Amino acid sequence: MIRHSFVRFIIVGLLNTAVGLSAMYLFLHLFGLTYWVATFTGNAIGACVSYALNRAFTFKSSAPVGKSMIRFLTVILICYFLSYYLGRQLSLWVFSLIPGFPSGLATDAAILFGTGIYTIANYIGQKAFVFKEPVGESV
Protein backbone atom coordinates (compact mmCIF):
# COMPACT_ATOMS: atom_id res chain seq x y z
CA MET A 1 0.00 0.00 0.00
CA ILE A 2 1.27 3.45 -0.86
CA ARG A 3 1.49 5.29 2.45
CA HIS A 4 2.44 8.85 1.58
CA SER A 5 -0.25 11.15 0.25
CA PHE A 6 2.15 12.99 -2.06
CA VAL A 7 3.10 9.75 -3.84
CA ARG A 8 -0.60 8.88 -4.24
CA PHE A 9 -1.24 12.46 -5.39
CA ILE A 10 1.43 12.09 -8.09
CA ILE A 11 -0.08 8.80 -9.28
CA VAL A 12 -3.56 10.35 -9.46
CA GLY A 13 -1.99 13.45 -11.00
CA LEU A 14 -0.38 11.44 -13.77
CA LEU A 15 -3.77 10.05 -14.71
CA ASN A 16 -5.75 13.29 -14.50
CA THR A 17 -2.91 15.22 -16.15
CA ALA A 18 -2.87 12.76 -19.04
CA VAL A 19 -6.62 13.25 -19.43
CA GLY A 20 -6.58 17.04 -18.95
CA LEU A 21 -3.40 17.76 -20.92
CA SER A 22 -4.57 15.60 -23.82
CA ALA A 23 -7.83 17.51 -23.84
CA MET A 24 -5.99 20.86 -23.74
CA TYR A 25 -3.84 20.04 -26.76
CA LEU A 26 -6.82 18.53 -28.57
CA PHE A 27 -8.87 21.69 -28.00
CA LEU A 28 -5.91 23.93 -28.90
CA HIS A 29 -4.72 22.18 -32.05
CA LEU A 30 -7.63 20.14 -33.39
CA PHE A 31 -10.46 22.50 -32.55
CA GLY A 32 -8.42 25.72 -32.76
CA LEU A 33 -9.61 27.09 -29.43
CA THR A 34 -7.66 29.88 -27.73
CA TYR A 35 -5.04 29.21 -25.04
CA TRP A 36 -7.38 30.22 -22.22
CA VAL A 37 -10.42 28.27 -23.47
CA ALA A 38 -8.35 25.15 -24.23
CA THR A 39 -6.53 25.16 -20.89
CA PHE A 40 -9.67 25.93 -18.87
CA THR A 41 -11.74 23.22 -20.57
CA GLY A 42 -9.00 20.59 -20.37
CA ASN A 43 -8.31 21.52 -16.77
CA ALA A 44 -12.01 21.18 -15.91
CA ILE A 45 -12.09 17.68 -17.41
CA GLY A 46 -8.94 16.68 -15.49
CA ALA A 47 -10.38 18.25 -12.31
CA CYS A 48 -13.38 15.93 -12.40
CA VAL A 49 -11.06 12.92 -12.48
CA SER A 50 -8.86 14.54 -9.84
CA TYR A 51 -11.63 15.21 -7.32
CA ALA A 52 -12.99 11.68 -7.36
CA LEU A 53 -9.58 9.98 -7.16
CA ASN A 54 -8.04 12.38 -4.65
CA ARG A 55 -11.05 12.11 -2.36
CA ALA A 56 -11.12 8.32 -2.42
CA PHE A 57 -7.48 7.31 -2.98
CA THR A 58 -5.02 10.11 -2.23
CA PHE A 59 -6.43 11.65 0.93
CA LYS A 60 -9.05 8.99 1.82
CA SER A 61 -11.28 11.81 2.90
CA SER A 62 -14.51 11.53 4.82
CA ALA A 63 -15.19 15.27 4.50
CA PRO A 64 -18.74 15.99 3.36
CA VAL A 65 -18.92 16.06 -0.45
CA GLY A 66 -20.65 19.45 -0.58
CA LYS A 67 -18.11 21.18 1.65
CA SER A 68 -15.09 19.51 0.04
CA MET A 69 -16.43 20.16 -3.49
CA ILE A 70 -16.75 23.90 -2.85
CA ARG A 71 -13.26 24.00 -1.38
CA PHE A 72 -11.94 21.87 -4.25
CA LEU A 73 -13.41 24.23 -6.86
CA THR A 74 -11.99 27.24 -5.02
CA VAL A 75 -8.50 25.72 -4.92
CA ILE A 76 -8.48 24.58 -8.55
CA LEU A 77 -9.74 27.94 -9.82
CA ILE A 78 -7.10 29.86 -7.88
CA CYS A 79 -4.41 27.38 -8.94
CA TYR A 80 -5.62 27.42 -12.55
CA PHE A 81 -5.52 31.19 -13.06
CA LEU A 82 -2.30 31.67 -11.13
CA SER A 83 -0.48 28.73 -12.73
CA TYR A 84 -1.47 29.21 -16.35
CA TYR A 85 -0.90 32.97 -16.13
CA LEU A 86 2.59 32.36 -14.72
CA GLY A 87 3.19 29.56 -17.25
CA ARG A 88 2.29 31.86 -20.11
CA GLN A 89 4.47 34.68 -18.79
CA LEU A 90 7.40 32.32 -18.22
CA SER A 91 7.04 30.89 -21.71
CA LEU A 92 6.86 34.32 -23.34
CA TRP A 93 9.96 35.39 -21.44
CA VAL A 94 11.95 32.21 -22.27
CA PHE A 95 10.97 32.31 -25.94
CA SER A 96 11.83 36.01 -26.19
CA LEU A 97 15.40 35.03 -25.31
CA ILE A 98 15.60 32.60 -28.25
CA PRO A 99 15.60 34.56 -31.51
CA GLY A 100 13.82 32.92 -34.43
CA PHE A 101 12.19 30.19 -32.35
CA PRO A 102 8.69 29.34 -33.64
CA SER A 103 6.20 31.30 -31.56
CA GLY A 104 3.64 28.50 -31.88
CA LEU A 105 5.81 26.40 -29.59
CA ALA A 106 5.63 29.10 -26.92
CA THR A 107 1.96 28.31 -26.35
CA ASP A 108 2.66 24.58 -26.06
CA ALA A 109 5.47 25.32 -23.61
CA ALA A 110 3.21 27.68 -21.64
CA ILE A 111 0.77 24.81 -21.15
CA LEU A 112 3.55 22.56 -19.87
CA PHE A 113 4.96 25.26 -17.56
CA GLY A 114 1.47 26.03 -16.26
CA THR A 115 0.78 22.35 -15.67
CA GLY A 116 3.93 21.97 -13.58
CA ILE A 117 3.15 25.03 -11.46
CA TYR A 118 -0.48 23.91 -11.14
CA THR A 119 0.51 20.44 -9.88
CA ILE A 120 2.55 21.78 -6.99
CA ALA A 121 0.10 24.54 -6.02
CA ASN A 122 -2.85 22.18 -6.29
CA TYR A 123 -1.28 19.55 -4.01
CA ILE A 124 -0.62 22.16 -1.35
CA GLY A 125 -4.18 23.50 -1.60
CA GLN A 126 -5.83 20.08 -1.64
CA LYS A 127 -3.85 18.80 1.35
CA ALA A 128 -4.10 21.96 3.45
CA PHE A 129 -7.60 23.15 2.60
CA VAL A 130 -9.82 20.62 0.81
CA PHE A 131 -9.00 17.22 2.27
CA LYS A 132 -7.37 18.43 5.48
CA GLU A 133 -6.86 15.64 7.99
CA PRO A 134 -8.56 15.96 11.34
CA VAL A 135 -6.06 16.68 14.14
CA GLY A 136 -4.44 13.45 15.37
CA GLU A 137 -4.85 11.45 12.11
CA SER A 138 -2.21 10.93 9.45
CA VAL A 139 -2.43 9.74 5.87
Side-chain angles (χ1 to χ4, degrees):
M1 184 70 179
I2 303 168
R3 298 186 49 102
H4 298 288
S5 64
F6 188 72
V7 174
R8 291 190 305 262
F9 185 81
I10 293 299
I11 292 167
V12 168
L14 290 171
L15 179 60
N16 72 50
T17 298
V19 170
L21 200 54
S22 297
M24 287 179 204
Y25 284 121
L26 181 75
F27 293 134
L28 182 69
H29 293 296
L30 188 63
F31 297 118
L33 299 180
T34 67
Y35 172 80
W36 287 109
V37 173
T39 58
F40 188 84
T41 306
N43 196 65
I45 292 167
C48 292
V49 173
S50 176
Y51 178 79
L53 293 177
N54 279 323
R55 179 177 168 74
F57 176 67
T58 305
F59 300 110
K60 299 178 184 178
S61 176
S62 59
V65 171
K67 183 178 179 181
S68 65
M69 181 68 75
I70 290 168
R71 288 178 174 207
F72 180 82
L73 290 173
T74 300
V75 168
I76 64 165
L77 286 172
I78 291 168
C79 290
Y80 167 76
F81 286 110
L82 177 67
S83 300
Y84 287 97
Y85 172 78
L86 291 174
R88 186 172 179 99
Q89 295 307 310
L90 179 60
S91 178
L92 291 172
W93 176 72
V94 167
F95 280 78
S96 73
L97 299 175
I98 306 169
F101 212 78
S103 62
L105 293 179
T107 301
D108 289 339
I111 290 173
L112 291 177
F113 291 152
T115 299
I117 297 166
Y118 178 88
T119 299
I120 295 165
N122 189 36
Y123 174 76
I124 293 166
Q126 299 305 323
K127 184 164 178 67
F129 186 64
V130 179
F131 301 116
K132 185 176 181 180
E133 301 172 28
V135 176
E137 292 185 26
S138 65
V139 177

